Amino acid sequence: EFIAGAGQIGWCTEQCEASSYHGRGVGDDLFSWGIDGLQNPKKWYNTSSVTYGTQWQAGDVIGCCLDVTSVTSHALAFDISYYK
């Protein structure tokens, strides 16, 4: 359930360099993919984003699906789905 605060969800590999100290999360490098559902909902890969979905609200239940058998790592950023 989404309560409030940072609304990012996604996936990363062991090579991901996420750091709350430096403000890097899922979707901010070559090794992670993420969705941010706050204010201007976007999906992220390697610091690039595209508008995606609708803004999340307190009380929303968010789930993600990932099909690793049908996409390449670089295409993944555009094949992430979320369900609200």
Side-chain angles (χ1 to χ4, degrees):
E1 177 180 355
F2 176 66
I3 299 171
Q8 282 185 310
I9 188 170
W11 298 268
C12 64
T13 69
E14 292 178 356
Q15 292 86 9
C16 176
E17 296 183 7
S19 166
S20 59
Y21 180 78
H22 291 103
R24 289 190 310 261
V26 293
D28 291 335
D29 66 14
L30 285 169
F31 306 103
S32 64
W33 304 265
I35 299 172
D36 184 343
L38 294 179
Q39 297 177 0
N40 300 310
K42 297 180 179 184
K43 53 184 172 178
W44 292 84
Y45 170 69
N46 195 25
T47 69
S48 295
S49 66
V50 294
T51 301
Y52 183 75
T54 59
Q55 182 177 352
W56 300 344
Q57 303 294 321
D60 285 350
V61 176
I62 309 298
C64 291
C65 296
L66 174 63
D67 182 354
V68 296
T69 62
S70 66
V71 295
T72 64
S73 61
H74 294 287
L76 186 59
F78 300 100
D79 293 309
I80 292 176
S81 297
Y82 85 93
Y83 302 93
K84 177 175 154 175

